[in-house]
Amino acid sequence: MPNKNGQKFLCFLPKVEKAKTGKPVTQQNTSSMIVETEKRVKLKTPDELLEVIKERCFVRQEGWWSYEFCYQKKLRQLHVEEEKVVQEFVLGVYDAEATAAFNQNLSDISTQKDPRSRDASQRYHAHQYTNGTICDLTNEPRETEVRFVCSEPRAMISSITELSTCKYALTFQSPMLCKHPLFQEERPVWHIINCNALPKDYKETKAEEAPFKNKQITMVTDVEYPSNHGSEQ
């Protein structure tokens, strides 16, 4: 193949090995391996990245209700009139033990949805909030799973849903989590194509220049030869 100046090169495409699944085996060049090594050495856990909001509370208004989330403290459902709380339910108090138990099978870094999800945008870091206000319908304390996701531009409550009776999921946008590689989209694998410059007088061999181009080719089939009378049988 020629470059922009017309100089010709002979190039060799890399051989991409495939695993038993039939998918290409991930390869990394030296520079990317160094970067990954540095990340492992200096890497902060999601909880360490979230420490910047440790003393903060966040409020989300949804119709009649307001939701107040205080990091690693508690989550409240409020109705406010004239700057006074007239109705309140605690949807959970931070439970470090339950959070650790929930994440024990996911190593030091807990990423959920499916924690092994290939789509980084579907991953989240989970905390458990338990022992909230008793639910009238179940006679059990309310509880909430708080899901921290990588999302710009600022830290805020993005949604809260009731998964089942008095059991909730709060999604919290966390730009700080975007610094963690598990919440970043995987980069495509690069393969190196090696090329050698060809001499200027190099000419490609064409079919019509083959050494036998003017010779007639005769197909030879099976031929029966008369046997020699003196030969051994």
Side-chain angles (χ1 to χ4, degrees), residues 26-173:
T26 302
Q27 299 180 1
Q28 288 182 313
N29 56 35
T30 304
S31 59
S32 64
M33 291 175 65
I34 293 173
V35 170
E36 292 301 322
T37 301
E38 290 178 347
K39 284 182 179 178
R40 285 196 294 270
V41 173
K42 302 175 182 178
L43 194 62
K44 288 187 176 181
T45 66
D47 284 331
E48 289 173 334
L49 293 171
L50 290 167
E51 283 184 356
V52 294
I53 61 171
K54 200 163 190 176
E55 301 301 323
R56 296 178 60 186
C57 293
F58 302 83
V59 177
R60 178 179 176 84
Q61 179 75 37
E62 288 193 5
W64 177 269
W65 296 108
S66 296
Y67 296 90
E68 180 192 65
F69 168 61
C70 297
Y71 180 74
Q72 288 191 344
K73 290 180 181 178
K74 64 181 178 180
L75 171 64
R76 297 192 299 166
Q77 182 181 26
L78 313 167
H79 177 61
V80 180
E81 292 182 4
E82 297 179 356
E83 299 182 355
K84 291 183 180 180
V85 176
V86 295
Q87 196 172 5
E88 173 184 349
F89 298 99
V90 176
L91 302 187
V93 177
Y94 178 65
D95 191 330
E97 185 177 342
T99 296
F102 181 79
N103 296 320
Q104 66 180 349
N105 295 326
L106 302 173
S107 72
D108 295 334
I109 299 171
S110 57
T111 50
Q112 293 295 315
K113 171 173 180 191
D114 179 349
R116 295 156 294 280
S117 174
R118 293 188 179 184
D119 184 355
S121 65
Q122 299 295 325
R123 300 173 188 163
Y124 59 82
H125 180 64
H127 283 183
Q128 302 300 312
Y129 285 66
T130 61
N131 205 26
T133 304
I134 297 296
C135 177
D136 294 337
L137 299 176
T138 64
N139 291 321
E140 293 182 357
R142 289 172 166 82
E143 58 185 55
T144 302
E145 180 177 284
V146 176
R147 302 169 176 177
F148 300 94
V149 300
C150 160
S151 183
E152 303 285 356
R154 62 189 178 91
M156 59 178 286
I157 301 170
S158 59
S159 68
I160 182 165
T161 56
E162 189 170 6
L163 302 176
S164 59
T165 304
C166 295
K167 294 182 183 295
Y168 309 87
L170 181 145
T171 301
F172 190 86
Q173 292 183 190

